Amino acid sequence: MAAAPVGPGAAFFEVLDRHRASLVAALRRGGPEAGAQGTRLASRFEDSVGLQMVAHCTTRKIKSNSLKSVKKFALILKILSMIYKLVQSNTYATKRDIYYTDSQLFGTQTAVDDIINDISCMLRVPRRSLHILSTSKGLIAGNLRYIEEDGTKVHCSCGATAVAVPSNIQGIRNLITDAKFLLIVEKDATFQRLLDDDFCNKMSPCIMVTGKGVPDLNTRLLVKKLWDSFHIPVFTLVDADPHGIEIMCIYKYGSRSMSFEAHNLTVPAMRWLGLLPSDIKRLNVPRDSLIPLTKRDQGKLDSILKRPYITCQPFWKREMEIMAESKMKAEIQALTSLSSDYLSRVYLPNKLKFGGWI
């Protein structure tokens, strides 16, 4: 029989335990940071179909009487008819399945994806209710067990191999964990490095998830389900650059394209663990390990700083201002300039033990 993972002692998790207690208390009070409701953002959809989503407005319009939108309208009806058949037969299909039913008609996978999002928004139901599933790209590892909809028992381990995020998150049940925290890792390369360094065992019990960059719907649904089920602290580990911050905001506040379903996808209680721009100076990361901000980076950073929710995150704002002032960014891999295993051996353990999150 395999030996149980041996992690740090109880004293190591004291700050984490206090953080979790404060989150649960805020949840009971209905506090905005720990609440179940995500931030709802206004979005605007393509004018060719006339489907718009504007703040404080429930009006939905579809134009069917103009040459500009007639093809899009026809494609919406086509996909609606396919959804009806799926619901009637109680079967499911992926977005890719739908595209390949008539790839010449649809033209691109993106066209199908956009229409499915429009229909979900128009009907105000999650994609799962349309019997349409997404192909998962995310991975999960650590202290977690669950049963999939078809009865398959899944035991995520702390070994070198991760488990693929299920394609039907709503269908999983009997989730069991003793994890003290959930760590969301931006990039697959960093996630795999942490597995290779045996981070899960060293920090056991914990759970690690990666969306391999911008997270897919199922990865976001899984993170949300884990938070709703266990209310354990959720942290993100992203590059200290505008792209990493954008990804972190998607997990916490949602994306504009899926803002109509934000309450099912976001985790307002999530915290930024690293890599913080202030850490770069504090740890004396060599300058030759840093990368100058491009004009595109600066534009992205300026855009994020103007978002309404940033005013509620003064510490996040200060970190982004540090980045803007230095005109430099850094990938997580920059920590290897300090030592090859600095991330897993020093950086993350100290952050978790002493509360180095914002």
Side-chain angles (χ1 to χ4, degrees), residues 56-75:
H56 311 299
C57 181
T58 58
T59 301
R60 295 170 299 281
K61 297 180 179 179
I62 298 177
K63 295 179 181 179
S64 59
N65 58 350
S66 72
L67 292 175
K68 183 180 179 181
S69 63
V70 64
K71 180 180 178 180
K72 193 72 170 282
F73 183 73
L75 292 179

Side-chain angles (χ1 to χ4, degrees), residues 275-286:
L275 180 66
L276 302 181
S278 60
D279 290 337
I280 297 171
K281 182 177 181 180
R282 179 177 62 85
L283 298 174
N284 294 316
V285 176

Side-chain angles (χ1 to χ4, degrees), residues 309-322:
Y309 51 71
I310 295 300
T311 60
C312 303
Q313 296 290 344
F315 295 111
W316 284 29
K317 183 178 180 181
R318 180 53 190 154
E319 292 294 331
M320 285 184 271
E321 288 171 345
I322 290 172

Side-chain angles (χ1 to χ4, degrees), residues 200-275:
C200 273
N201 275 327
K202 293 173 181 175
M203 293 292 105
S204 181
C206 70
I207 300 171
M208 287 201 318
V209 171
T210 181
K212 297 183 179 181
V214 177
D216 59 284
L217 180 65
N218 290 324
T219 301
R220 293 173 63 189
L221 284 169
L222 176 64
V223 170
K224 171 67 171 176
K225 191 176 187 75
L226 291 173
W227 162 249
D228 286 344
S229 300
F230 305 113
H231 300 308
I232 56 175
V234 179
F235 302 113
T236 55
L237 176 65
V238 299
D239 288 337
D241 66 14
H243 185 70
I245 294 171
E246 178 74 270
I247 288 172
M248 180 171 57
C249 289
I250 289 174
Y251 283 107
K252 186 175 178 74
Y253 295 110
S255 60
R256 294 182 67 85
S257 63
M258 295 293 292
S259 59
F260 58 89
E261 205 177 336
H263 59 290
N264 292 324
L265 297 171
T266 57
V267 181
M270 189 214 76
R271 295 292 187 270
W272 186 2
L273 187 67
L275 180 66

